[in-house]
Amino acid sequence: MMLSTLSQPQTWMWKGFPICYYAEGNTGPAVILVHGFGASWGHWRKNIPELAAKCRVFAIDLLGFGGSAKPIPTSEIAYTFETWAEQIGDFCREVVGTPAFLVGNSIGCIAVMQAAVDYPEWVIEVALLNCSLRLLHERKRSQIPWYRSFGAGVTQKILGVKWVSQLFFKQLATPKTVKKILLQAYKRPEAVTEELVEMLLIPARDQGAVDVFVAFTSYSYGPLPEDLLPILPCPAIILWGTDDPWEPIELGREYGKFDTVKQFIPLEGVGHCPQDEAPELVNPILLDWILTSERSLLKSN
């Protein structure tokens, strides 16, 4: 599925900031798709049409990413999971108008879990695709080799120097570097297309993109998945690419042991972004989960 075959995204004003989102589908349960770090709603372009055949689908760009505003962090607006959870909760209320199923990838998983915890009346269930383990979180650094922990802290301090961060980001935000990173994250090299690379690079050229990058790379506190999973007010399913080099499935399987998780589904031969790399595996699972849960809810009511 090419971005060019989809219609144009829409804009929703939130706290005075333009938020980009895409909507498709007129009937059925509502589903909100939430991307990972550095991505956007277009990362769901291979999932939207199939889900929209039976659902009302919304794919949203979190504040600071994609086509959404990228304000410089202040005391009023910070790039935290609580901020993004509030954005998702308000989006449910103001745009979707009904409770929704939430689907996240990578850091998007933590955003949707935080939204479920903070706004339980607007969230039916959540699906987590290769959830970010947040291995550089301050509470997890003792579990990784000292040189990685020390190196992460030094890197965060260096990137806090504006001219250094601008130079580093300029080196990072190139087609060659982005493609190299994607080829690490994806198991299937044929899924790393020029369209995908350009889709990730376009928002990186926006004013404020460097500030967002620095703000998030220095964000080593806030909730961990293991903080949110036990207090989820709704059930969750977890999908995990077995060949994810960033978020090892051995650690991910531990999340499947929480009582709130009703299913843990390994996706063989897939990397960090299964929705884009293997939509033929992910789409049927998501549709079955949504429609089965919807039928169960209708019966219980």
Side-chain angles (χ1 to χ4, degrees):
M1 176 61 61
M2 303 284 286
L3 274 177
S4 58
T5 64
L6 300 175
S7 57
Q8 290 298 306
Q10 302 179 54
T11 300
W12 165 60
M13 294 303 294
W14 180 65
K15 295 181 179 291
F17 301 115
I19 300 296
C20 179
Y21 74 95
Y22 185 88
E24 190 173 320
N26 300 313
T27 60
V31 187
I32 300 175
L33 309 174
V34 182
H35 60 81
F37 178 68
S40 63
W41 73 264
H43 217 183
W44 303 96
R45 67 200 183 284
K46 299 175 184 176
N47 318 104
I48 293 168
E50 194 162 334
L51 295 178
K54 297 189 176 179
C55 306
R56 292 181 295 129
V57 181
F58 302 84
I60 187 171
D61 286 351
L62 296 174
L63 184 74
F65 296 106
S68 289
K70 300 168 182 65
I72 295 173
T74 65
S75 56
E76 282 80 36
I77 196 78
Y79 294 107
T80 67
F81 291 110
E82 289 81 6
T83 297
W84 292 319
E86 185 180 2
Q87 179 190 344
I88 293 166
D90 287 346
F91 184 78
C92 281
R93 185 177 65 252
E94 296 179 20
V95 179
V96 180
T98 64
F101 291 88
L102 305 185
V103 183
N105 172 231
S106 191
I107 67 160
C109 297
I110 301 175
V112 302
M113 284 195 285
Q114 187 70 59
V117 168
D118 292 348
Y119 306 94
E121 69 276 20
W122 291 105
V123 181
I124 303 170
E125 293 190 10
V126 298
L128 315 176
L129 280 61
N130 287 64
C131 182
S132 171
L133 300 168
R134 303 205 66 201
L135 292 174
L136 295 180
H137 192 284
E138 59 185 359
R139 282 190 276 140
K140 283 194 172 180
R141 287 187 180 175
S142 62
Q143 303 170 24
I144 62 176
W146 69 268
Y147 52 85
R148 282 189 62 193
S149 176
F150 177 77
V154 171
T155 300
Q156 287 174 334
K157 285 184 173 63
I158 292 173
L159 289 177
V161 180
K162 196 168 184 67
W163 72 265
V164 175
S165 62
Q166 288 174 336
L167 180 62
F168 180 80
F169 192 76
K170 189 176 180 181
Q171 299 282 332
L172 188 66
T174 66
K176 184 179 179 180
T177 304
V178 169
K179 185 174 183 179
K180 185 178 180 180
I181 293 169
L182 288 169
L183 286 170
Q184 292 175 358
Y186 283 51
K187 179 66 174 178
R188 304 177 181 178
E190 66 273 15
V192 180
T193 62
E194 288 185 12
E195 182 197 41
L196 175 61
V197 171
E198 184 62 13
M199 186 180 76
L200 297 176
L201 278 174
I202 288 173
R205 301 180 185 121
D206 290 349
Q207 185 175 357
V210 177
D211 296 301
V212 176
F213 174 77
V214 172
F216 191 77
T217 52
S218 61
Y219 180 43
S220 54
Y221 49 94
L224 290 166
E226 51 266 43
D227 298 332
L228 297 171
L229 279 165
I231 61 172
L232 275 181
C234 65
I237 65 168
I238 299 177
L239 285 66
W240 212 286
T242 59
D243 289 84
D244 187 339
W246 298 341
E247 318 291 353
I249 190 169
E250 294 76 22
L251 298 176
R253 286 186 192 278
E254 293 300 308
Y255 293 158
K257 297 176 181 178
F258 285 96
D259 291 339
T260 52
V261 179
K262 60 182 185 181
Q263 210 173 0
F264 184 94
I265 305 167
L267 302 171
E268 296 296 332
V270 180
H272 185 63
C273 306
Q275 79 279 11
D276 186 51
E277 189 175 359
E280 78 284 357
L281 299 179
V282 172
N283 291 342
I285 293 171
L286 292 181
L287 264 180
D288 180 67
W289 160 66
I290 293 163
L291 298 177
T292 301
S293 299
E294 180 78 354
R295 283 193 296 268
S296 297
L297 285 171
L298 291 173
K299 281 182 182 178
S300 63
N301 292 332

